[in-house]
Amino acid sequence: MKDNNEIVSLDQFRNKKQEEKKRKTERIFFHHLVGAYAVIKPGKMIPVELIDISDEGLAIQTPYQSERSWAVADSNLPLRLYFSEDSFMEVNVSIKNARPTIDGGTRYLRYGCEVQKDQRAFDAWKQFVGFLRVYSEISEKDSGNIGVGNI
């Protein structure tokens, strides 16, 4: 039985829904529009999956392979974010933590990273994060009820 004295906070509910929408919007960008790669040594990159971003940091993950442990806490890492096949923004990060995780039945290593502020790409990074934040607030789901055709 529900307590009649319980107060439901609409702001809290709205904030939770907005956060869920933001995460779904970010996933669409991360999985379909931005390619992310870690530069692990000169001339060698490996694909990573962006999980979460903020003004000062990001989370990435890569499939777990015991024979290939390429990043550890307190190491620095250049990340390339490709927005087209031949153009990218390189963001330097410091790895702050690493932990194993399972996502969709697959084992991953997830890394929490801090974006280094003393780089020329930092302003572009902040603008990108800001764009995603604003876009997630105003974007709407396409219900498919408007067709595309010639005039």
Side-chain angles (χ1 to χ4, degrees):
M1 179 175 213
K2 189 172 184 173
D3 183 2
N4 289 336
N5 293 330
E6 185 178 319
I7 297 174
V8 177
S9 169
L10 293 180
D11 286 338
Q12 187 177 23
F13 178 77
R14 190 177 305 116
N15 290 343
K16 181 180 178 189
K17 285 295 189 189
Q18 188 63 35
E19 184 63 27
E20 288 172 8
K21 183 179 177 188
K22 175 184 168 282
R23 293 214 184 277
K24 285 180 185 175
T25 302
E26 286 177 350
R27 299 288 177 188
I28 291 167
F29 269 88
F30 298 161
H31 290 115
H32 300 289
L33 300 173
V34 178
Y37 297 85
V39 180
I40 57 173
K41 51 179 127 165
K44 177 125 172 103
M45 295 188 307
I46 61 167
V48 296
E49 185 179 346
L50 280 171
I51 300 299
D52 194 15
I53 65 171
S54 70
D55 286 334
E56 271 111 43
L58 56 90
I60 57 173
Q61 70 182 17
T62 185
Y64 176 78
Q65 295 177 350
S66 61
E67 70 279 0
R68 187 184 77 185
S69 180
W70 51 270
V72 294
D74 294 325
S75 63
N76 293 321
L77 184 68
L79 287 180
R80 287 186 175 188
L81 304 177
Y82 281 82
F83 294 91
S84 72
E85 193 174 303
D86 60 355
S87 69
F88 65 91
M89 172 175 65
E90 190 166 280
V91 178
N92 294 308
V93 300
S94 299
I95 297 174
K96 295 301 177 187
N97 58 64
R99 66 179 173 87
T101 187
I102 296 177
D103 188 2
T106 303
R107 292 175 65 191
Y108 291 94
L109 277 175
R110 188 167 289 179
Y111 299 93
C113 306
E114 178 182 22
V115 176
Q116 296 174 356
K117 296 179 176 115
D118 62 343
Q119 60 182 313
R120 70 185 191 116
F122 187 70
D123 286 337
W125 170 259
K126 286 185 66 162
Q127 294 291 328
F128 174 61
V129 172
F131 166 76
L132 282 179
R133 186 179 302 116
V134 173
Y135 179 78
S136 70
E137 291 171 4
I138 59 97
S139 66
E140 299 178 39
K141 182 163 178 58
D142 186 349
S143 60
N145 60 354
I146 297 177
V148 177
N150 295 328
I151 296 179

